[in-house]
Amino acid sequence: MSTQTSEQVRPVPTAEWVTIPDLVEDPYPVFARLRAQAPVHWVPAVDRYLVVGYHAAHEVELDADRFTADEAGSLMKRAMGHSMLRKDDPEHAVERQSYGGVLRPRAIKAHWDALFQRNAQAHLQRLRAAGPGADLVAEFAAPYAAENLRQICGFHNATAEDLQRWSQTLIDGTGNYADDPDVWAAAQRSSTEVDTAIDEMLVRLRHEPDHTLLSGLADLPIPLEAVRANLKMTIGGGLNEPRDAIATTLWALLSHPDQLDRVVADRRWADAFEESIRWVAPIGMYPRQATGDTVLDGMAIPGGARLGVHVGAANRDPALFDEPERFDVDRPKVPHLAFGGGSHFCAGAWVARASVVGVALPLLVGELPDLRLDPASPAQVRGWVFRGVTHLPVLWS
Ligand code: HEM
């Protein structure tokens, strides 16, 4: 429990006016209005306490004793099984350690950098052959991210298309608040396919080990159910996010040619990437649950409350970021929350940076001359739990 006195504690306001269609279309005006009133709101439309302030979001991330990741009635658990992302330490830590060094800088340098280069070059050749125009989401960002993840995980028995289908249907299950039976059926089909692929690969990799995630897991005493759930969570989280980060960064840079020029001149791809995921966090919201009555950034939270920690909203908190709605590669460095925080801080952040900052962005902008948005077909952006550019039509010369 926080040390604030009862006079300082405010009741959480209810925001009846928030609707899901408004959030899906463009959540940022909604967040700005919410934040101006309080850092936490009860939002009936989403059936959660929505955490929109930076300090409140960060406080939740850092305190698993007061805010557990093991949420009751979790749709993610139903869609993917009980992964480390919905567990607290020490159980979580054991499973996170089971990933070993596969997603870390040394392995990236030894194995994955070259793979990212090869994959990006192959997709670039295809773009060039079909160009001079393309939807960079469908024809580059999605298949590139899928192929990278397929190889990192060690799904030598599946295709990048399988990974894309698994990822989308499992994520759809995780967000199936409408309880649509077709969505559950598709998620279940993918879940079964992933189980079969894992079982097959674990046997193969025990005899022919390599440097992939599944190979590292093959000989560890982690229960098979946990391996399966963790891989499904990683398929869900390791594909769409780099895809969205590539597309959003390019969209932002191509919409701000002056900033693009500065980024190209000084190779400031990392600044562009970090500002882009601050501006539009690919994983906007994730759940936590209050373990007891508590106070969060001055707001009274009842025990058992289901929170939606919105890092996308926190990343635009004007208390931390000047003119937060503006994409600005030159803004002063303040840590954003797009990779989460605390013990669940994204395990794939190095992979994301290496594949997006180190390879995809410089390659596309450097190799597609006069790359520009297609004026006849505007980019489309959607979502609020996950948000990203869904279509990015571009032209080059
Ligand atoms: C720009 C790209 C990415 C973003 C913005 C992102 C964001 C996040 C966030 C916000 C979390 C924490 C969620 C929570 O606390 O509930 C997370 C966790 C995680 N991410 Fe990422 N991610 C990205 C790329 C990746 C990639 C490429 C991989 C794998 C190759 C990956 C693997 C994971 C895993 C395994 C976790 C769970 C960590 C744990 O529970 O300890 N992510 N990510």
Side-chain angles (χ1 to χ4, degrees):
M1 186 79 177
S2 157
T3 52
Q4 269 136 321
T5 61
S6 55
E7 304 86 74
Q8 294 168 310
V9 177
R10 296 157 63 197
V12 171
T14 298
E16 300 269 8
W17 52 274
V18 176
T19 69
I20 290 185
D22 282 350
L23 289 170
V24 171
E25 189 58 33
D26 182 1
Y28 296 112
V30 175
F31 296 151
R33 188 172 155 193
L34 290 172
R35 257 189 335 250
Q37 195 189 349
V40 187
H41 293 252
W42 167 248
V43 180
V46 305
D47 197 21
R48 279 182 190 276
Y49 286 78
L50 205 58
V51 181
V52 291
Y54 183 99
H55 294 299
H58 202 38
E59 189 178 336
V60 173
E61 284 177 335
L62 297 183
D63 196 340
D65 289 337
R66 287 194 298 144
F67 302 103
T68 175
D70 192 0
E71 184 196 44
S74 156
L75 295 184
M76 182 187 236
K77 280 197 241 171
R78 177 166 170 192
M80 303 181 175
H82 198 171
S83 75
M84 64 170 114
L85 197 53
R86 293 286 166 271
K87 292 179 183 173
D88 298 322
D89 289 339
E91 209 184 350
H92 155 267
V94 173
E95 292 185 22
R96 177 143 174 160
Q97 276 159 20
S98 75
Y99 272 30
V102 177
L103 304 178
R104 301 177 74 88
R106 188 179 295 183
I108 292 171
K109 201 154 177 255
H111 309 295
W112 308 134
D113 272 339
L115 161 80
F116 300 154
Q117 284 289 354
R118 271 199 312 278
N119 285 344
Q121 288 289 353
H123 286 97
L124 178 71
Q125 295 321 322
R126 262 171 245 152
L127 281 182
R128 278 192 172 133
D135 174 354
L136 281 186
V137 176
E139 290 162 65
F140 184 91
Y144 168 69
E147 179 60 9
N148 289 344
L149 190 67
R150 183 184 78 79
Q151 300 216 27
I152 291 171
C153 288
F155 282 115
H156 307 315
N157 53 353
T159 63
E161 289 74 26
D162 291 331
L163 268 280
Q164 284 198 58
R165 186 179 65 260
W166 293 343
S167 180
Q168 197 54 57
T169 48
L170 290 168
I171 289 272
D172 289 346
T174 296
N176 191 14
Y177 293 99
D179 207 18
D180 182 336
D182 291 342
V183 171
W184 285 128
Q188 185 53 54
R189 265 195 308 278
S190 288
S191 181
T192 308
E193 285 177 33
V194 176
D195 289 347
T196 308
I198 290 175
D199 293 354
E200 235 177 76
M201 284 317 306
L202 288 178
V203 174
R204 209 198 293 181
L205 289 165
R206 232 166 250 135
H207 300 293
E208 303 159 32
D210 59 21
H211 38 262
T212 61
L213 213 44
L214 276 166
S215 181
L217 289 164
D219 289 319
L220 287 181
I222 302 281
L224 180 60
E225 279 318 306
V227 171
R228 287 172 164 178
N230 287 336
L231 259 294
K232 284 171 205 165
M233 178 270 289
T234 304
I235 292 168
L239 196 162
N240 295 357
E241 287 63 42
R243 175 199 69 193
D244 292 347
I246 292 170
T248 303
T249 311
L250 285 172
W251 175 56
L253 288 173
L254 297 175
S255 312
H256 298 86
D258 54 322
Q259 296 192 44
L260 176 61
D261 288 347
R262 291 203 294 284
V263 166
V264 171
D266 296 326
R267 301 194 59 76
R268 292 177 53 202
W269 302 108
D271 288 346
F273 169 80
E274 300 298 336
E275 170 61 357
S276 146
I277 62 174
R278 177 205 68 83
W279 188 54
V280 181
I283 295 184
M285 185 184 87
Y286 49 79
R288 293 291 186 267
Q289 187 163 23
T291 52
D293 290 352
T294 190
V295 176
L296 173 60
D297 199 10
M299 314 296 295
I301 306 289
R306 294 165 72 241
L307 309 185
V309 180
H310 211 297
V311 292
N315 277 349
R316 291 197 185 198
D317 189 334
L320 276 292
F321 304 96
D322 268 353
E323 294 185 64
E325 315 296 338
R326 214 157 54 84
F327 174 81
D328 178 5
V329 293
D330 296 314
R331 71 171 56 252
K333 301 276 173 286
V334 174
H336 63 68
L337 304 181
F339 283 122
S343 64
H344 291 281
F345 181 84
C346 177
W350 288 291
V351 166
R353 289 184 173 123
S355 62
V356 179
V357 173
V359 178
L361 297 175
L363 189 81
L364 287 171
V365 175
E367 298 294 322
L368 296 174
D370 191 22
L371 185 64
R372 59 199 183 276
L373 297 173
D374 181 348
S377 184
Q380 291 170 33
V381 194
R382 275 179 75 76
W384 73 284
V385 175
F386 302 95
R387 186 166 177 86
V389 177
T390 53
H391 298 282
L392 184 62
V394 295
L395 301 171
W396 59 89
S397 300

